[in-house]
Amino acid sequence: LSQLRYLSETAPELLEKSAALLNVADLLHFRLCGTASQNWSFATVSQMFDFERGTWDSGLLKTLGLPDHFLLEPSAGKILGTTGEGIRVISGIGHDTACAFHGAGSRSDELVLSLGTWAMAGSVLPPDSLLEPLSPPFGYFGILPGKYAVFRSMPGQWLQDGCVAQWKKEGLFTSHREFDRQVEESVCKAVFELDSPELSAPENMPETI
């Protein structure tokens, strides 16, 4: 949403002549079979989704002065076409964290942690749950139509990635295996808040920590 808002202020002609908004999963589908589509689970994390209506939040877009002619009807479980080799292309769960939660086979009483550069911790909601408004860092995402999860976002390996990038720049980093070995041998007991704003984009991650 913020990217589209930025484009509307800096390059509105790009939005006006755009035919379809394709997220990563949608772009892969398009390259495979030539069909433009909007994946449902990806749409739910776009900041432009109306969870009550199960589709785009046209009122929000209008308030922000954004066009919506390039937004296709979100769908899931739909056969989009076939590849040149005759293999069917299906729009399933397009968002990586939604895939992780679905693949974990989680029940509503189980906690799931999807860990990467950023981490999502949460659980799948019982059917027909009321999706009340939440404040960041808490939120919802859709897995499949009618199946939602509640999550808390937080830094995952972001701090480690930042340290490694700095150590490589200084010629100090040897390997991730060596990194893990030194972590296991360390007697450091320091505790700090991972969500501290100073850690969001520091010039020198180890120094900032």
Side-chain angles (χ1 to χ4, degrees):
L1 177 61
S2 57
Q3 290 172 321
L4 292 177
R5 173 69 175 175
Y6 174 77
L7 281 177
S8 72
E9 296 174 347
T10 60
E13 67 281 359
L14 289 180
L15 296 184
E16 291 303 324
K17 66 182 182 181
S18 295
L21 172 67
L22 302 182
N23 289 302
V24 174
D26 308 316
L27 183 59
L28 288 173
H29 293 150
F30 181 76
R31 290 290 181 87
L32 287 169
C33 69
T35 300
S37 63
Q38 180 64 64
N39 183 266
W40 188 85
S41 63
F42 229 127
T44 66
V45 294
S46 66
Q47 299 177 311
M48 301 184 290
F49 194 79
D50 185 332
F51 283 92
E52 286 189 15
R53 295 169 50 238
T55 189
W56 300 112
D57 191 335
S58 54
L60 173 63
L61 294 168
K62 186 175 181 180
T63 299
L64 293 176
L66 294 174
D68 61 2
H69 64 272
F70 46 71
L71 297 177
L72 309 175
E73 187 64 29
S75 63
K78 180 180 178 182
I79 298 175
L80 302 176
T82 58
T83 66
E85 295 78 18
I87 300 171
R88 289 190 298 178
V89 178
I90 302 173
S91 178
I93 303 174
H95 188 255
D96 54 351
T97 304
C99 288
F101 273 61
H102 185 67
S106 59
R107 302 188 305 269
S108 57
D109 60 346
E110 292 179 326
L111 180 69
V112 178
L113 175 64
S114 177
L115 179 61
T117 302
W118 298 100
M120 300 285 197
S123 62
V124 176
L125 293 170
D128 303 320
S129 294
L130 183 63
L131 303 183
E132 298 177 347
L134 298 174
S135 298
F138 295 94
Y140 300 108
F141 61 79
I143 299 173
L144 290 166
K147 184 176 183 181
Y148 295 90
V150 61
F151 71 93
R152 184 197 193 282
S153 61
M154 57 190 132
Q157 294 172 276
W158 168 249
L159 274 66
Q160 177 182 331
D161 292 347
C163 288
V164 169
Q166 181 63 34
W167 291 330
K168 284 183 176 179
K169 189 186 302 182
E170 298 173 6
L172 299 175
F173 183 75
T174 53
S175 69
H176 283 280
R177 180 173 292 181
E178 176 64 15
F179 176 92
D180 293 340
R181 186 188 68 78
Q182 292 197 34
V183 168
E184 290 175 1
E185 293 178 357
S186 173
V187 294
C188 178
K189 300 296 182 184
V191 176
F192 59 92
E193 180 54 62
L194 296 178
D195 285 336
S196 291
E198 298 93 337
L199 298 172
S200 61
E203 291 185 13
N204 186 315
M205 182 69 83
E207 188 177 89
T208 305
I209 291 174

